[in-house]
Amino acid sequence: QVQLVESGGGLVQPGGSLRLSCAASGSIASINTMAWYRQAPGKRRELVADITTGGSTNYADSVKGRFTISRDNAKNTVYLQMNSLKPEDTAVYYCNANLRPHGYMWSRTYWGQGTQVTVSS
């Protein structure tokens, strides 16, 4: 069974940094795009950043220049380095991966359970 497990969330002061990690485990044949989404209270879930297998990245305008997404294909892991954090970055952050399990012909999207990031003084 495929799982995505996030870690690294927590409470940080404005201007601080956090690094989120998400490891995909299970019987995985291949992983395509990996991404981070977030959902603040009362708001829709939104894309924060994504990264292809080849390393091409895409960011939401609100985090450009502050967040960096990266991945380690050998470890099936995606990271999100978050710098210069603002109170409006407070949300539950979800890992997302489009991947193909062994024995399946097609890829599908998997989600992690979410990790809370709170930016407050």
Side-chain angles (χ1 to χ4, degrees):
Q1 184 174 351
V2 173
Q3 283 188 313
L4 300 182
V5 179
E6 300 120 334
S7 60
L11 173 65
V12 64
Q13 293 187 341
S17 298
L18 281 175
R19 188 190 195 211
L20 305 182
S21 300
C22 171
S25 63
S27 184
I28 298 170
S30 62
I31 303 179
N32 304 312
T33 298
M34 302 185 81
W36 288 96
Y37 285 73
R38 67 186 181 186
Q39 187 167 20
K43 294 190 176 181
R44 298 177 64 179
R45 190 174 297 189
E46 63 175 0
L47 175 68
V48 175
D50 61 33
I51 183 167
T52 66
T53 306
S56 296
T57 59
N58 174 55
Y59 294 92
D61 288 342
S62 59
V63 307
K64 282 181 181 177
R66 300 188 298 122
F67 291 10
T68 302
I69 189 170
S70 61
R71 65 190 284 174
D72 184 332
N73 291 330
K75 296 181 179 179
N76 290 342
T77 299
V78 63
Y79 306 96
L80 185 68
Q81 178 66 44
M82 304 184 292
N83 299 328
S84 302
L85 282 160
K86 305 175 181 180
E88 51 263 44
D89 294 317
T90 296
V92 178
Y93 284 69
Y94 295 92
C95 175
N96 168 291
N98 182 268
L99 62 86
R100 182 172 66 84
H102 279 294
Y104 287 75
M105 289 185 63
W106 309 107
S107 298
R108 54 156 288 191
T109 297
Y110 289 81
W111 291 90
Q113 79 285 357
T115 185
Q116 177 70 45
V117 172
T118 302
V119 185
S120 175
S121 55

